[in-house]
Amino acid sequence: MTTPLSAQSFIRLLKAPTDPPNPESPLKIQIACAAWDDATIHIPNKHELIAEFILTRLLKDKSKTSDNPLLDARYWSLLRKVLDGSVGAGARGLKVWLGSLLNRTPLAPIIISILTLLRDLPVTEAKELLALVRSCFSVLWPLSVHKISVETLLECFGAVLDVSAELVDDEILGGICEAIVSSYREALGNAGNKKKLHATFLQTHLSSWIHAISSSSSLSPQLNKAVYAAGTETLFSLDALRASPSSESLFTALSSSPNSLSIINPAIPLLPRLFSTHTHFLRRYRTSLFPASQNKLQNRDNDMRMASMAFFALCLKLLAGNDLSWEARVGLVNIIEGERIYTSQGVGEVEVEAVREDAVQVLEEENAEEEVVRLALDVLAALARVDYDVIEPVVGRVIPRLILARPSPSIHKSANVLLNLLLDFHSKTRTLHAYSHALVDACTSLPSIRSLASPQEFYLRGRASAILAHTHLSSLAQALRTFLTPSQVKEAVQITQTLKNTYQNLSSLIKTSDMEDRPRKKRRKSEPALSSVSPAPTQAMREVDAHAHAFSLTLKFAALFLSNLPSSFVTAEVREAVLEAGAWAIDATRLLLCNRTSKISWADQMTGAALLRFAYHLPAWRCGREQADMQGLLEVAKTEEGAEGELVLEILRFLFAWSSRLETDVEVETVLNVALTYIEAQVENTGGLMVLYLIVDRWLDLVDAQGSRSSLDRLIKLIFSISPTSTRRMDVQGLQPKDVIWGVLHNAQFWEMGNIRASVLAYFTSSPNPLKGSTLDQLSSTYSFLLYVPPEYLTKQARVELVHRAMEGDITISSLLHATTGEKTAKGKRKRDEGRDLEDVRQTLMHIRVFLQRMGKLGYLNVSDHESARDYVKHLMNMEVSENAILKEATINLAEIYIVALLRASDKDPSASTACASIFCSLAQSGSLDEESVPQLCVFQLVERLRQDFSVSSLPDLIIASIKELHAALTSVSHPNVIDTLPASGTIQAWARHLSFGHWLGVAATSTSGYSQRIAAALLRNREKCKSSAEIFGLLFEELRCLPNVDRGMHLDLAVGVFVFCSEAGDIKSLDEVVSSGCKHLSVDDFSHLLDTVYEALESTRFPPAQCVRLVHLATVLLRDAPQGTLKVVQGVFSQCLNLFIGHAQFFAGPVDLKLACLEFVARQCSDRPAALRPVDPGPIHALLSKILCGSPTHDSTTTPAVFHTSTTILNALIRLRRDLVVHILPHLGLVLRQLVSCIRSLRPQLAAKQSRIVTDTLPSWIAPSEPLGVPEARALARLFTSLTTKSVPRAHMQPNAEQKAESLSKPFAKHAAYVVTAYIDAVNDPLCVMRADLRRELEPGLFALCEMMGTHSRDAVMVSALDAGGKSVMKALWKEYEKQRYIGKG
């Protein structure tokens, strides 16, 4: 364009029918860009012309397949410039000209087209284009959205659903989508007729909407929620629900999606969410959908439930035939429970029963998947919560399946939930006898369940089932003892008779089976053996085994029932029947197992074990009636080959109980020998371990009292032969070998048994001394166990022997390690098994030294031989153990124990002085005082001990000279390298300890002027690169204490900087410890300077909240650990900080962490140093509390209850400890108490936005409206009210002759208590708030205390002047409860 462009020619070019307008001219977009960029061209309303051109071009060419302007960044870039650029003086406003332009050029088709085209673009290009589109969209959309019809907005919403799956991670696209969805929802809410929208949505957008809100979608949570709300508001609008309350058209559309056994309909996971939303919309529109006549107001609720259950039935129809949809079934039933849709009056019975039958059928399928079984149990549990009558008809079918279910943690968890519900229902209805009968009937019906699995496998499943687990059985036993009625207890007689009849039937079946097998056995005698493999069990044998399994489980539940009868309801008849049942079980066991000529079958063993278990749980063996000889049972346990471990366990348990009687024919020693023999033979099997556990857990006291010394020695050897870390495949009971040994080591009763303790000591002290072969393992086992032995139970002789052997073993093992290390250095490599052996040797050495350390701390080491002690300490210092932290710590502590003992003996025995000096000299001359080495760490730890317990003048000159030599040797290795600006933490600690060492010795420190200042400054410059802030902080305080000529002010300022800027969450505790120890040595001037620095930093208000929190915390620690003589300084700084907190909004209205830090600052001073409070302090304290508790229009996302608890702590401390100060500001106290009461309120559900805002504006910012305060806060507030009536003596600095009298604030606060009570009444009476019943119950003690202070006169005055009708009723109810509990002097 060589000639200037006129306005007319510019308009003609843009409106030309072709692009470019002329063959020689550029494209229209280039002409428009040039005209906009050229400021010298004057075209009236140029921005309007260009914007109209662009929007018209975008609208007309939106469907072009090539050169689409919607995808041309030049159009959007120019449009953004036009919308954002200056339009010059006198031009019309943006809303005026752009609004009229958008009326002529609709924006919605452009947005729909661009969203549709974005799916075909590469992700990078799409994101670049979106950045331009978003800036234009943010200006155009608000101006045009009000002119767009709701049908067009639905199309835009559909485009959002289509594109959201393609560019899910784009934040810009998310903003556009959120704006479109929000506009559609607003237009939908204002639309008159929504039937057409509903139909269009179902036909066109349903599948994409389901995909967008599914769990596989990557939409942001906020957008996902908005998209779901927009879809459900369309599907469940009032017009749609009027046409079909159950939304049948929705399921007609959903059923078109594929749904088979292997392919799940994508809508199925969303059904619970849709069901819940549908129910909520029914409730919202219930008055319009279900109009009720005057005489039938309850019909509305029934109609609403029927509509919901119809929706539920349609969900089930969609779920039918799909095994992958059980999780949706669980969710649907949970919605029925949560929304209380189901009633037992006929609404939804058919649908619920269908779900129940499907769940039971899954349990009855043998090959059902584990996850499906778990979900089926969850469905039954949810149905039980809905109404127990729903599952009551199928309980008899469910319980057998729970017994035979495959063991699985997930199935156990779901089964326990269901069993707890069953047990809870029968406990509440006092029908536990019916539940017990159901359990027995379920066991009896087990043989009728046909399965390919063997009875033995079913038996193992039953033992591992949830119904026979300890959790369920213990709960059932507790319920039986608590909730059985006297008439139900009498049914015990019937149970015993039922057991006898069942056993007779089982005996007849066994005899019949033997008769069928006998001819076959005779025939085999004359025939050669065909095979060595045992023949497969016949059908008759399988039937016998199944009945034996059922009978054993029946006996288990019967024993549980009979042994847990309430003793107060047991009559003589019932007691006699129970004793008779126990005696019958013993006789039946003897007849079944004793004097057998053939091998005992599996069925007989299980039956015998069950009978013995039944007899053991009943008191039959305790009674004095005559019984036959029990030697036969002992012979079975001793001689029967192939006996099941359970049978042997039950025989031995019963015989141990039998032998504990006063009159018995079986000796404890005999039973114990049989048990030990069995354990030794079955030591690798579960059976032996269970018998050993039985002895240790139940019969240890009997064995200790009546067992022989040899048997006890065998028992102890078996127990301590178990490794504490040994594991094996978990058995049914979950028993591991280590459970036995840990149970013994942690059992206090075990160590109190004299005979067993003697055997234990004999076992530990009888180990061989030479360290060859397996004896090293024995030494490791011995000292690892000795770490768990209470040292007080070791005799003097045993201690001497074990300590002597430990020291010898230490020296030998150390030599072995030294030789192995040298060999490794020579060879360069070592095999993996040798490395493992070397690690075991180190573990043994660690156990030995930890044992010696423990003996030394208790004073059991022999340090009288000074030469041996000297040699052993040198031995400890000459070995490097840096690879094991525990071994290193034990080595250092052990050396310290010996050296301290020698130092204490040095003033009386010159040989101790010589030995101690020799140790120090050898350390100084060894050259092994490197950083982090054992000698260096030992010396530094010894320095702290010397500072605490010894003075230089109390030690002999010989030791002082050797210590100075050691100090000189440490100087060369501990002296810091000034070039290293950020040294390691070990280097910093070493120099700090060296300074402390020299200060204690009185030796002048080597000049390192400004070393700590330089590394502190370097740390502040590179805070991310150094993790040693605590060490640098400690060095600053150590130099202040030890070095005379330092810049103390600079040191203290840097210390504050290190604490504030370089501390992390994990360093706070260590930094606090440094401050606590360092403040003790500060002078008054230094401490005052430190506090002034902290206060100036807080007062400057230029630090971010995170640093302010640390500054306030530092001030809290400094005031807590202030040195002596600084009371005035502390009082002044505390008052200044209070005034600062209430004068700057960031402290009381800023982040919650800063508020909490300020409250902790005040609480610590009020609780720990109440005497330091001055009369001017309570006023600012109450002002701070009032500002933090006042209402706020903004709130945090989560509630911080710690703010409430800290506030009550402050007031409690003031009331209890400084009543003399609080009595002058009681109106302030009353105001703060009213605010605390107001904080307990919570929003009433389903309030509108404006109503919610009315309440939330009165809540403080640290309370999230969705998370109100709970019971702990109400309890703390009640405790605060009660403390007003508690008498206490003020803790103040009083004259020695001043009289102190214990008084309370009851009388002074009586005039103000009424206002606190009215605050509670206003909270309860507020129609927009809820005060939960549990909170009111927790507040009652405190409210009663306030009522006692008020008196009737103040109550009447409040009733007349301050309360409305609702408030008066609340006051009357409160006063009535107060009168009930008030003590009136009677009784």
Side-chain angles (χ1 to χ4, degrees):
M1 298 176 65
T2 58
T3 60
L5 187 65
S6 65
Q8 184 177 5
S9 60
F10 177 70
I11 296 173
R12 187 179 298 112
L13 289 174
L14 292 183
K15 292 186 176 182
T18 60
D19 191 10
N22 300 314
E24 299 82 9
S25 64
L27 297 174
K28 291 182 180 181
I29 185 63
Q30 296 176 351
I31 297 173
C33 291
W36 178 258
D37 294 337
D38 191 353
T40 61
I41 299 177
H42 176 69
I43 300 175
N45 298 326
K46 179 170 59 174
H47 53 281
E48 297 183 24
L49 296 173
I50 295 176
E52 183 178 5
F53 157 72
I54 294 174
L55 291 177
T56 305
R57 184 66 182 273
L58 294 177
L59 179 64
K60 289 183 177 181
D61 297 343
K62 64 181 184 297
S63 302
K64 292 182 64 174
T65 57
S66 61
D67 298 332
N68 195 320
L70 288 172
L71 303 180
D72 193 339
R74 294 175 295 177
Y75 287 87
W76 295 104
S77 177
L78 180 58
L79 182 59
R80 184 179 64 177
K81 292 178 182 178
V82 170
L83 296 176
D84 296 341
S86 175
V87 297
R92 293 188 298 172
L94 180 67
K95 291 184 179 181
V96 176
W97 67 266
L98 190 56
S100 61
L101 175 60
L102 292 174
N103 290 336
R104 303 190 303 269
T105 310
L107 181 65
I110 299 175
I111 298 299
I112 295 173
S113 299
I114 187 62
L115 291 178
T116 305
L117 293 172
L118 281 174
R119 294 182 297 171
D120 301 327
L121 287 180
V123 176
T124 306
E125 296 182 14
K127 290 186 176 182
E128 293 176 355
L129 184 62
L130 277 172
L132 300 173
V133 174
R134 173 60 188 276
S135 59
C136 301
F137 177 86
S138 61
V139 177
L140 298 175
W141 184 259
L143 297 177
S144 64
V145 67
H146 301 293
K147 303 293 183 180
I148 304 176
S149 65
V150 66
E151 291 81 5
T152 307
L153 285 174
L154 178 58
E155 295 182 18
C156 296
F157 178 57
V160 167
L161 297 177
D162 294 334
V163 76
S164 59
E166 304 295 333
L167 297 172
V168 292
D169 296 330
D170 192 88
E171 184 179 354
I172 299 176
L173 178 63
I176 296 175
C177 293
E178 288 181 13
I180 294 174
V181 174
S182 176
S183 300
Y184 170 67
R185 291 182 63 190
E186 183 178 356
L188 180 65
N190 297 327
N193 189 354
K194 304 183 180 69
K195 288 184 179 180
K196 185 178 178 181
L197 297 174
H198 175 265
T200 305
F201 185 81
L202 287 178
Q203 294 174 3
T204 310
H205 308 299
L206 182 61
S207 59
S208 57
W209 177 71
I210 291 175
H211 179 72
I213 63 174
S214 62
S215 58
S216 59
S217 174
S218 301
L219 294 181
S220 64
Q222 183 178 357
L223 182 58
N224 189 303
K225 183 178 179 181
V227 169
Y228 176 78
T232 53
E233 288 169 3
T234 307
L235 291 173
F236 305 133
S237 63
L238 179 58
D239 294 334
L241 292 177
R242 275 176 178 166
S244 175
S246 59
S247 301
E248 295 180 3
S249 57
L250 171 63
F251 288 92
T252 302
L254 291 177
S255 59
S256 61
S257 301
N259 188 26
S260 63
L261 294 176
S262 57
I263 302 176
I264 188 170
N265 191 319
I268 286 179
L270 301 174
L271 288 181
R273 192 177 179 185
L274 290 174
F275 186 29
S276 176
T277 307
H278 176 265
T279 305
H280 291 166
F281 275 101
L282 286 179
R283 283 206 176 94
R284 178 186 294 180
Y285 304 134
R286 61 183 180 274
T287 56
S288 301
L289 293 174
F290 312 108
S293 61
Q294 295 181 355
N295 299 328
K296 297 181 179 180
L297 295 177
Q298 295 181 351
N299 288 347
R300 176 183 295 164
D301 293 336
N302 291 334
D303 293 341
M304 188 176 64
R305 290 192 178 96
M306 291 178 64
S308 294
M309 293 308 296
F311 189 96
F312 176 68
L314 293 172
C315 291
L316 294 182
K317 186 177 179 180
L318 187 64
L319 297 175
N322 196 319
D323 293 338
L324 303 176
S325 59
W326 274 99
E327 190 168 354
R329 285 183 172 89
V330 176
L332 290 172
V333 179
N334 285 331
I335 297 300
I336 292 178
E337 176 209 353
E339 300 294 340
R340 299 181 180 180
I341 298 173
Y342 177 81
T343 59
S344 58
Q345 300 174 358
V347 178
E349 287 187 359
V350 177
E351 293 81 4
V352 171
E353 289 176 359
V355 176
R356 179 196 68 194
E357 291 301 323
D358 291 342
V360 175
Q361 288 178 7
V362 168
L363 296 181
E364 292 176 345
E365 293 178 6
E366 176 129 8
N367 298 323
E369 296 182 3
E370 176 183 323
E371 183 66 15
V372 176
V373 173
R374 180 188 69 81
L375 293 172
L377 290 173
D378 290 342
V379 167
L380 292 174
L383 291 175
R385 287 191 292 266
V386 170
D387 192 343
Y388 182 80
D389 293 339
V390 175
I391 68 165
E392 186 176 17
V394 297
V395 170
R397 296 164 56 190
V398 171
I399 293 179
R401 294 300 171 176
L402 292 179
I403 296 175
L404 301 180
R406 290 185 178 88
S408 167
S410 59
I411 293 179
H412 272 207
K413 184 177 180 181
S414 299
N416 281 330
V417 173
L418 177 59
L419 292 172
N420 289 336
L421 291 171
L422 297 178
L423 189 58
D424 184 61
F425 172 80
H426 287 286
S427 299
K428 291 179 179 177
T429 57
R430 301 299 188 269
T431 55
L432 281 172
H433 66 295
Y435 183 60
S436 301
H437 285 304
L439 293 175
V440 173
D441 294 341
C443 296
T444 307
S445 65
L446 290 179
S448 63
I449 299 177
R450 301 299 176 184
S451 174
L452 298 176
S454 63
Q456 289 82 356
E457 182 180 350
F458 272 170
Y459 181 72
L460 294 177
R461 288 189 191 179
R463 291 179 61 192
S465 64
I467 204 168
L468 290 172
H470 174 72
T471 303
H472 176 248
L473 295 181
S474 60
S475 300
L476 178 57
Q478 178 65 29
L480 290 171
R481 291 192 296 269
T482 308
F483 299 111
L484 275 181
T485 62
S487 61
Q488 295 167 0
V489 171
K490 294 180 180 179
E491 295 184 7
V493 180
Q494 300 177 5
I495 292 180
T496 58
Q497 187 61 38
T498 303
L499 292 176
K500 294 179 182 179
N501 297 335
T502 306
Y503 179 69
Q504 290 179 0
N505 296 334
L506 178 61
S507 300
S508 301
L509 190 63
I510 292 175
K511 290 180 181 178
T512 304
S513 175
D514 291 341
M515 293 295 294
E516 293 178 359
D517 291 343
R518 191 173 302 161
R520 183 170 63 251
K521 292 181 180 178
K522 289 183 177 179
R523 185 168 58 254
R524 282 202 303 268
K525 288 182 179 179
S526 59
E527 295 177 1
L530 297 178
S531 175
S532 60
V533 181
S534 301
T538 63
Q539 183 62 31
M541 295 172 60
R542 290 173 61 92
E543 187 174 357
V544 170
D545 292 345
H547 280 81
H549 173 210
F551 182 66
S552 65
L553 296 180
T554 304
L555 283 176
K556 191 176 187 68
F557 286 117
L560 183 70
F561 182 82
L562 295 176
S563 60
N564 288 282
L565 298 175
S567 57
S568 57
F569 297 154
V570 176
T571 62
E573 179 185 1
V574 174
R575 186 178 292 104
E576 185 63 26
V578 172
L579 293 176
E580 183 182 353
W584 162 79
I586 296 173
D587 293 339
T589 305
R590 293 182 59 259
L591 293 175
L592 183 66
L593 300 179
C594 299
N595 301 323
R596 293 282 296 262
T597 58
S598 61
K599 185 178 179 181
I600 304 177
S601 65
W602 184 85
D604 290 345
Q605 291 189 42
M606 292 301 100
T607 305
L611 287 169
L612 285 174
R613 188 186 306 113
F614 178 79
Y616 176 81
H617 286 293
L618 300 184
W621 57 269
R622 298 188 183 95
C623 62
R625 63 174 64 187
E626 292 293 332
Q627 293 284 352
D629 186 17
M630 292 294 165
Q631 292 293 335
L633 292 177
L634 197 61
E635 291 298 324
V636 172
K638 185 188 305 183
T639 61
E640 180 66 24
E641 296 182 1
E644 293 285 339
E646 184 176 0
L647 176 62
V648 177
L649 176 68
E650 296 300 337
I651 290 175
L652 292 174
R653 179 166 67 167
F654 180 78
L655 291 179
F656 270 120
W658 189 266
S659 62
S660 65
R661 305 191 326 165
L662 295 178
E663 298 179 2
T664 179
D665 57 339
V666 179
E667 297 292 336
V668 175
E669 177 66 19
T670 306
V671 181
L672 179 60
N673 284 328
V674 173
L676 294 176
T677 303
Y678 179 79
I679 296 170
E680 292 168 349
Q682 302 288 335
V683 68
E684 297 296 332
N685 300 327
T686 304
L689 183 64
M690 292 177 66
V691 173
L692 181 59
Y693 183 78
L694 168 69
I695 298 174
V696 169
D697 184 64
R698 176 64 182 85
W699 300 109
L700 208 56
D701 53 346
L702 182 66
V703 169
D704 176 73
Q706 301 186 29
S708 64
R709 179 61 184 270
S710 59
S711 298
L712 294 178
D713 291 342
R714 290 174 62 192
L715 176 62
I716 295 302
K717 184 178 179 181
L718 286 171
I719 292 174
F720 287 100
S721 63
I722 300 174
S723 173
T725 59
S726 63
T727 58
R728 64 174 59 168
R729 186 178 63 85
M730 186 104 32
D731 69 334
V732 175
Q733 310 298 332
L735 186 63
Q736 290 283 352
K738 60 182 180 181
D739 297 333
V740 177
I741 186 63
W742 288 124
V744 167
L745 294 175
H746 293 90
N747 186 5
Q749 184 184 7
F750 177 82
W751 302 108
E752 291 291 342
M753 298 174 182
N755 296 330
I756 287 181
R757 187 168 68 245
S759 297
V760 172
L761 294 179
Y763 171 80
F764 285 140
T765 56
S766 63
S767 300
N769 193 20
L771 297 175
K772 294 182 180 180
S774 61
T775 55
L776 182 61
D777 298 334
Q778 188 175 359
L779 187 66
S780 174
S781 174
T782 298
Y783 284 97
S784 64
F785 285 134
L786 282 172
L787 297 181
Y788 300 96
V789 177
E792 295 80 7
Y793 291 106
L794 296 177
T795 62
K796 183 178 180 180
Q797 181 180 0
R799 288 197 300 266
V800 171
E801 176 65 23
L802 291 172
V803 168
H804 176 70
R805 189 182 302 163
M807 295 181 69
E808 290 184 350
D810 186 343
I811 295 173
T812 307
I813 292 175
S814 300
S815 302
L816 177 62
L817 286 174
H818 181 72
T820 307
T821 305
E823 185 178 341
K824 175 183 176 181
T825 304
K827 294 183 178 180
K829 291 185 178 180
R830 193 169 62 251
K831 295 181 180 179
R832 182 176 300 177
D833 54 348
E834 294 178 356
R836 188 180 301 111
D837 293 341
L838 186 60
E839 184 62 28
D840 293 340
V841 171
R842 289 196 181 97
Q843 287 292 113
T844 303
L845 182 60
M846 179 189 71
H847 294 153
I848 289 175
R849 290 190 178 176
V850 171
F851 171 76
L852 289 174
Q853 170 193 340
R854 190 168 299 174
M855 293 293 103
K857 289 183 177 180
L858 296 174
Y860 294 153
L861 289 181
N862 182 19
V863 294
S864 58
D865 189 353
H866 301 149
E867 293 183 358
S868 299
R870 177 200 60 194
D871 296 338
Y872 187 64
V873 172
K874 290 182 179 180
H875 159 73
L876 293 175
M877 294 295 101
N878 290 333
M879 181 181 176
E880 184 60 39
V881 290
S882 59
E883 297 180 4
N884 192 319
I886 300 178
L887 178 58
K888 177 187 290 187
E889 182 181 1
T891 302
I892 294 171
N893 293 335
L894 192 57
E896 179 191 356
I897 290 171
Y898 275 102
I899 293 174
V900 170
L902 291 175
L903 287 174
R904 286 176 175 167
S906 61
D907 57 345
K908 300 179 181 178
D909 192 344
S911 61
S913 302
T914 305
C916 195
S918 176
I919 293 173
F920 291 142
C921 291
S922 62
L923 285 174
Q925 299 169 4
S926 64
S928 59
L929 296 174
D930 300 329
E931 184 177 341
E932 298 294 330
S933 64
V934 172
Q936 187 194 58
L937 294 176
C938 181
V939 171
F940 287 152
Q941 184 168 321
L942 188 62
V943 168
E944 297 298 322
R945 192 67 179 271
L946 290 172
R947 285 179 50 193
Q948 296 174 6
D949 299 342
F950 297 94
S951 62
V952 178
S953 59
S954 65
L955 298 177
D957 296 338
L958 180 61
I959 294 179
I960 294 300
S962 61
I963 291 177
K964 289 184 177 180
E965 183 181 355
L966 177 60
H967 177 266
L970 276 173
T971 302
S972 58
V973 297
S974 302
H975 192 279
N977 184 7
V978 295
I979 301 176
D980 192 3
T981 56
L982 282 177
S985 59
T987 304
I988 300 173
Q989 284 183 336
W991 180 241
R993 297 288 180 84
H994 183 267
L995 289 177
S996 178
F997 194 10
H999 186 265
W1000 178 81
L1001 267 177
V1003 178
T1006 307
S1007 176
T1008 56
S1009 176
Y1011 174 66
S1012 62
Q1013 296 182 13
R1014 284 194 296 273
I1015 61 174
L1019 177 64
L1020 293 174
R1021 288 192 300 268
N1022 304 279
R1023 296 195 292 267
E1024 297 81 7
K1025 297 182 180 180
C1026 185
K1027 304 298 181 182
S1028 55
S1029 56
E1031 290 77 10
I1032 296 175
F1033 193 64
L1035 179 60
L1036 288 168
F1037 276 97
E1038 200 64 47
E1039 287 192 355
L1040 281 173
R1041 188 176 68 89
C1042 301
L1043 298 180
N1045 300 320
V1046 294
D1047 188 348
R1048 307 186 73 82
M1050 180 65 71
H1051 263 68
L1052 294 172
D1053 294 342
L1054 286 173
V1056 174
V1058 170
F1059 189 98
V1060 173
F1061 293 101
C1062 302
S1063 59
E1064 298 179 356
D1067 298 333
I1068 292 296
K1069 185 176 181 181
S1070 57
L1071 289 171
D1072 290 349
E1073 294 176 354
V1074 174
V1075 173
S1076 300
S1077 60
C1079 284
K1080 299 176 182 178
H1081 308 288
L1082 291 179
S1083 63
V1084 176
D1085 294 337
D1086 290 342
F1087 184 74
S1088 178
H1089 179 86
L1090 195 58
L1091 285 177
D1092 291 341
T1093 302
V1094 174
Y1095 177 75
E1096 290 173 4
L1098 286 172
E1099 190 180 23
S1100 64
T1101 66
R1102 65 173 180 267
F1103 294 103
Q1107 275 76 39
C1108 289
V1109 170
R1110 293 172 184 170
L1111 283 168
V1112 175
H1113 178 74
L1114 177 58
T1116 305
V1117 179
L1118 289 173
L1119 294 189
R1120 181 193 65 188
D1121 300 310
Q1124 293 184 356
T1126 57
L1127 177 60
K1128 291 185 177 180
V1129 176
V1130 169
Q1131 289 176 333
V1133 171
F1134 181 71
S1135 299
Q1136 289 178 341
C1137 288
L1138 285 178
N1139 294 326
L1140 178 66
F1141 293 161
I1142 62 177
H1144 292 79
Q1146 68 168 344
F1147 293 104
F1148 60 82
V1152 67
D1153 293 339
L1154 186 55
K1155 297 176 189 174
L1156 195 57
C1158 295
L1159 290 176
E1160 289 287 349
F1161 172 80
V1162 178
R1164 181 72 66 179
Q1165 189 73 0
C1166 294
S1167 300
D1168 296 351
R1169 305 189 66 178
L1173 296 178
R1174 295 185 296 178
V1176 297
D1177 294 334
I1181 290 175
H1182 285 79
L1184 176 63
L1185 293 176
S1186 180
K1187 289 177 179 292
I1188 291 177
L1189 296 174
C1190 68
S1192 172
T1194 59
H1195 298 84
D1196 299 336
S1197 58
T1198 57
T1199 300
T1200 309
V1203 176
F1204 188 91
H1205 287 285
T1206 311
S1207 301
T1208 57
T1209 300
I1210 294 172
L1211 294 177
N1212 252 320
L1214 289 175
I1215 292 170
R1216 289 184 295 105
L1217 306 177
R1218 293 310 305 266
R1219 174 181 48 79
D1220 55 327
L1221 299 180
V1222 177
V1223 74
H1224 300 295
I1225 54 167
L1226 293 179
H1228 300 71
L1229 177 61
L1231 175 62
V1232 175
L1233 292 180
R1234 284 177 58 89
Q1235 290 178 303
L1236 289 173
V1237 173
S1238 178
C1239 293
I1240 300 293
R1241 300 172 302 156
S1242 58
L1243 282 173
R1244 187 173 296 277
Q1246 299 179 351
L1247 288 180
K1250 186 176 293 184
Q1251 294 172 323
S1252 299
R1253 177 66 64 183
I1254 294 174
V1255 179
T1256 56
D1257 286 349
T1258 61
L1259 293 176
S1261 60
W1262 48 271
I1263 294 181
S1266 59
E1267 298 180 11
L1269 298 178
V1271 171
E1273 289 72 38
R1275 189 179 297 120
L1277 184 56
R1279 193 180 303 115
L1280 175 60
F1281 290 160
T1282 308
S1283 65
L1284 292 169
T1285 62
T1286 304
K1287 292 184 178 181
S1288 61
V1289 176
R1291 296 188 183 180
H1293 296 289
M1294 306 288 291
Q1295 296 296 330
N1297 56 355
E1299 181 181 359
Q1300 295 187 1
K1301 183 179 180 181
E1303 295 180 355
S1304 69
L1305 286 174
S1306 297
K1307 188 174 181 180
F1309 195 73
K1311 297 180 181 179
H1312 309 275
Y1315 301 104
V1316 182
V1317 176
T1318 55
Y1320 167 78
I1321 294 174
D1322 292 340
V1324 175
N1325 198 35
D1326 192 339
L1328 302 180
C1329 298
V1330 174
M1331 183 75 74
R1332 301 200 313 264
D1334 53 350
L1335 300 183
R1336 296 200 302 269
R1337 186 167 50 252
E1338 292 293 340
L1339 284 173
E1340 280 183 352
L1343 295 173
F1344 294 160
L1346 294 175
C1347 291
E1348 183 180 355
M1349 285 186 276
M1350 285 176 58
T1352 56
H1353 180 73
S1354 297
R1355 179 203 63 184
D1356 296 339
V1358 169
M1359 291 282 284
V1360 171
S1361 61
L1363 300 177
D1364 56 7
K1368 291 178 181 179
S1369 62
V1370 175
M1371 174 63 92
K1372 289 178 182 179
L1374 175 63
W1375 204 268
K1376 183 178 180 180
E1377 294 296 326
Y1378 162 67
E1379 291 289 347
K1380 286 182 181 179
Q1381 59 86 42
R1382 187 166 66 94
Y1383 178 67
I1384 57 177
K1386 296 181 180 180

